Amino acid sequence: MPWNAVVRGALAAGPLLLAAVLAGRESVGVMAALGAMLAGINDRPGSRRTAVHRIGVPGLAGAAGLVVGTYAGEGLGAVPLTLILTALGLLAGAVSAVGPVSSGAGTQLLVAAAIGAGMPLPEPGWQRALFFLAGAAWLIALRLALPTPGALAHDFRFDGERAAVADVYDAIAELLAAAGGEQAGARRAALTAALDHAQDALAGPRLRRYASSSAERRLRAQYAAALPLAEAATALAWAGDALPARTAEGPRRLAVAVRTGEPCGPLPAPARSVPGLRALDDALLHAAETFDRGGKQTGGKQTGRKQTGGGKPGSRQEIDGKKAGDEHGAALHSDADAALHSDADAALHSDSGTNPLDRGARQTAHKGLRLRPFRTKALLRTVTGPGGREYGFRVALCYGASAAVAQALHHVHWYWLPATAVFLVKPDLGPLVSRVLNRAAGTVLGALVFAGFAAVLPRPEGLIALVAISGALIPVATRHFAAQTAVVTVLVLALVMVGGEPEASWSRIGETLLACAIVLIVGHLPAPGQRGGNVRARLDAATDAAHAYLTHVLSGADDRAARWALRREAYRKLAEARAAIDRAAAELPTLARHTEGTDEVAATLERLVDTTTACAVHLDDTGRLTPRHTERLATLLDELVEQRERAGLADPPADLLSA
């Protein structure tokens, strides 16, 4: 139960509406509450810095949509207004193909434009936009000021970042525990998701390029220390051999240390019998050193993997000695193995600049967590590419058609029809038919619930309380589209009545069902060009990222920071492609057939990136690849060519095939 988000929701739209009603400016309160409500839909778990971007950008887009819609609705007739809204839908739909934040911005732009054009309010467009933006800003202020439960024991500014980094170490432990089993693939995908989330949490909007506090620097260093652990764990999972349970114990202890801020204590070391285990052992040693440098020490106690100086001799035996009969050898290394650790420890302390592992982690933590910033040319390519064109065309057609039908019906709440169509036609919200059915069911339920409350609640205080309660329920209802629709329907109908309009439950149901019919028809019409453009564009991006990663690994370059960044980008692009493929596959056959075979391409790319990671770990250890590695790479590249041809995709880069 996200209690912190529930509290924010209760303190967002309701109090703003109450303040406006007490001041005699109900219409101002309606605008501010709408801004807070739409911001609440984008208020998802994560770090505060990420929340500013995730809530603020759509809020700015919504304010712009209000300005455009208000002035267009006041000065244009039905036909030119419909053309303006259609063009706006084309733009917003194309931009939505960039990513989740852009998609949220496109949604709010179109919804606010319809409201601005159709809702009769006395304020001019710029004032509506200002109060709408104030509502979104109020929720951002609540997100920044209110701590999450249990965060006050540490620096509450980074509670979301801390949880995200700890989840990475937990995901590494789960992958190590699943190695050699049927769940290894799912655990590797979970590790990718955890790394993506932590990367976004730590690399969110910032006033300074580099970390500005010791707490943030420590978290960035802990995240960077997890990258070689993730690489080694992926290589071990690729090998397909089951590992002892104690292999996963070290990452689990590191996860606890991140969450609590306490020393991680001595870490069990795996036997150094194969390259993957040696890489894991080196990464654990490096992580222990990183946690030591950033953690607290008391009473002369060393917090890392080994006890030195004032520490008690034999402490590792006390922790791990009972596992001396492990199949990978005794819990403590032999004297020769201990000497290897001593040499590695000395290398880290004496000249960290010459140690590739330590140097790569320092560069990653200091210079940034992404390979390169998102540039304008890449943005334009995404917007104008096949995915953006297909997305924009579909959104524009549905939005424009619903606006035209709504104005032709001369309904007082005609803006509900295009606003509803926007939420229905968004391809990143799930399969089309599923969205339509859930939207219809949620609207009917919400309208009936509101009709019951409206008959007994006093006005306006009862309606304001209903708005506050609905705002508190939004963070919980976002887990299911029908539940979210029901809660938002209650909130919107309450706002309409507070604004001075009559109760409109039944007309709301009628408008929603009509929007569902329009989107179902338009959404399945033949479209110009090749369908499945978004899936194909994301698969091409994933192929390019896998190519860059493989080329870097086979080049023998010793730049670990660049290699980890390329690996992260390859897995991130694959995750985005896989999500788009899964959504497309759940559509009706008329739409799903356009992406047949793409899931096989994604699966082959995932195996190729996993194999590339295993090659990187083996090259670090021996300087050469085994026949198993080279044969596996050749087989996967051949499969990739065949599967892309069957799926109707372009051939992969020629230099990828010759790698």
Side-chain angles (χ1 to χ4, degrees):
M1 190 68 178
W3 290 112
N4 51 334
V6 169
V7 171
R8 290 195 299 271
L11 296 176
L16 291 176
L17 185 61
L18 175 61
V21 170
L22 293 177
R25 298 290 301 275
E26 290 82 0
S27 58
V28 168
V30 169
M31 277 292 103
L34 279 174
M37 180 202 73
L38 291 173
I41 295 176
N42 293 315
D43 184 15
R44 301 301 175 88
S47 67
R48 285 174 170 77
R49 188 160 50 218
T50 307
V52 173
H53 184 246
R54 187 172 53 242
I55 298 173
V57 172
L60 289 171
L66 271 174
V67 172
V68 173
T70 300
Y71 290 116
E74 292 175 352
L76 298 176
V79 174
L81 176 59
T82 300
L83 294 177
I84 290 292
L85 293 179
T86 302
L88 204 61
L90 181 65
L91 173 63
V95 170
S96 296
V98 174
V101 175
S102 299
S103 178
T107 299
Q108 288 203 28
L109 174 70
L110 298 181
V111 170
I115 292 174
M119 181 179 283
L121 293 176
E123 288 78 21
W126 67 270
Q127 286 189 15
R128 297 187 192 185
L130 188 62
F131 293 124
F132 179 91
L133 199 58
W138 171 243
L139 186 65
I140 293 176
L142 293 175
R143 181 69 180 89
L144 295 175
L146 297 180
T148 55
L152 292 178
H154 308 288
D155 189 342
F156 84 95
R157 295 174 301 166
F158 302 107
D159 55 328
E161 290 91 334
R162 187 182 302 110
V165 174
D167 289 343
V168 170
Y169 284 98
D170 278 334
I172 293 171
E174 293 297 326
L175 177 57
L176 290 171
E182 296 180 355
Q183 294 298 316
R187 297 276 68 82
R188 202 276 304 148
L191 174 58
T192 293
L195 284 165
D196 288 346
H197 182 59
Q199 189 177 34
D200 293 339
L202 291 170
R206 57 194 314 112
L207 297 178
R208 294 185 178 184
R209 180 181 178 186
Y210 301 116
S212 57
S213 69
S214 59
E216 186 177 359
R217 286 192 293 271
R218 180 164 57 251
L219 282 171
R220 288 169 70 95
Q222 289 170 346
Y223 171 84
L227 296 179
L229 279 171
E231 187 176 57
T234 301
L236 288 168
W238 177 86
D241 297 326
L243 302 171
R246 64 188 298 274
T247 307
E249 185 62 25
R252 286 198 178 97
R253 295 185 187 181
L254 292 172
V256 173
V258 174
R259 286 193 175 92
T260 63
E262 299 296 327
C264 61
L267 303 178
R272 299 171 62 89
S273 55
V274 295
L277 287 172
R278 287 192 284 273
L280 180 66
D281 195 17
D282 291 340
L284 280 171
L285 179 59
H286 168 72
E289 292 289 330
T290 300
F291 278 63
D292 277 349
R293 289 192 293 266
K296 298 179 181 179
Q297 297 184 19
T298 57
K301 184 176 180 180
Q302 183 77 9
T303 61
R305 271 230 337 241
K306 303 201 306 184
Q307 296 277 352
T308 59
K312 295 180 180 180
S315 61
R316 290 183 64 188
Q317 288 92 328
E318 293 173 4
I319 293 178
D320 297 321
K322 62 182 179 180
K323 300 180 181 178
D326 193 285
E327 63 179 344
H328 279 259
L332 286 178
H333 295 301
S334 64
D335 292 340
D337 199 23
L340 287 174
H341 278 292
S342 179
D343 293 342
D345 200 12
L348 281 169
H349 282 292
S350 63
D351 189 6
S352 63
T354 61
N355 184 282
L357 190 65
D358 191 60
R359 184 172 64 250
R362 288 177 182 273
Q363 290 174 352
T364 299
H366 180 65
K367 293 185 177 181
L369 305 173
R370 294 189 183 277
L371 177 65
R372 54 182 177 267
F374 199 72
R375 302 192 182 280
T376 304
K377 289 184 178 179
L379 174 66
L380 291 176
R381 281 197 301 269
T382 303
V383 171
T384 60
R389 292 196 302 270
E390 179 187 353
Y391 205 160
F393 173 79
R394 192 63 56 184
V395 172
L397 198 57
C398 290
Y399 189 60
S402 59
V405 171
Q407 292 181 87
L409 294 176
H410 300 289
H411 193 280
V412 64
H413 297 125
W414 70 264
Y415 55 90
W416 280 351
L417 194 58
T420 301
V422 171
F423 285 105
L424 290 173
V425 77
K426 300 287 286 184
D428 54 337
L429 294 180
L432 179 59
V433 173
S434 174
R435 293 197 304 274
V436 168
L437 294 177
N438 278 278
R439 184 77 183 188
T443 300
V444 171
L445 176 61
L448 292 177
V449 169
F450 177 78
F453 279 118
V456 297
L457 288 177
R459 303 175 188 177
E461 56 270 20
L463 297 176
I464 295 174
L466 196 59
V467 168
I469 294 172
S470 299
L473 290 176
I474 285 179
V476 182
T478 51
R479 299 173 182 176
H480 196 282
F481 193 47
Q484 175 182 305
T485 300
V487 172
V488 170
T489 297
V490 173
L491 196 154
V492 169
L493 289 174
L495 288 178
V496 168
M497 287 194 68
V498 172
E501 298 187 33
E503 196 270 332
S505 294
W506 306 115
S507 61
R508 180 70 176 128
I509 292 176
E511 297 283 341
T512 297
L513 295 179
L514 182 56
C516 290
I518 291 174
V519 171
L520 273 179
I521 295 172
V522 175
H524 290 88
L525 288 176
Q530 190 176 30
R531 293 296 295 266
N534 185 47
V535 170
R536 297 170 190 278
R538 294 197 180 277
L539 265 182
D540 288 339
T543 302
D544 292 340
H547 167 221
Y549 179 42
L550 178 60
T551 301
H552 180 87
V553 169
L554 296 185
S555 70
D558 202 23
D559 187 348
R560 299 291 179 89
R563 188 174 86 191
W564 296 336
L566 287 166
R567 176 177 175 271
R568 287 272 54 255
E569 186 165 351
Y571 277 122
R572 178 183 283 272
K573 295 298 184 184
L574 273 169
E576 293 172 354
R578 175 64 77 180
I581 291 169
D582 290 343
R583 285 193 297 267
E587 298 282 5
L588 291 181
T590 53
L591 299 180
R593 63 185 177 85
H594 296 286
T595 57
E596 289 179 355
T598 52
D599 56 337
E600 298 177 357
V601 177
T604 301
L605 280 173
E606 288 171 347
R607 292 194 295 270
L608 178 62
V609 176
D610 288 345
T611 305
T612 304
T613 302
C615 290
V617 170
H618 200 86
L619 284 170
D620 288 343
D621 188 74
T622 65
R624 64 181 184 276
L625 297 179
T626 65
R628 180 188 179 190
H629 291 93
T630 55
E631 291 173 4
R632 185 61 176 158
L633 284 175
T635 300
L636 288 172
L637 291 173
D638 289 341
E639 291 179 1
L640 183 62
V641 173
E642 296 175 0
Q643 290 167 354
R644 288 182 66 92
E645 184 178 354
R646 286 199 298 268
L649 300 171
D651 292 335
D655 48 350
L656 172 61
L657 303 180
S658 62

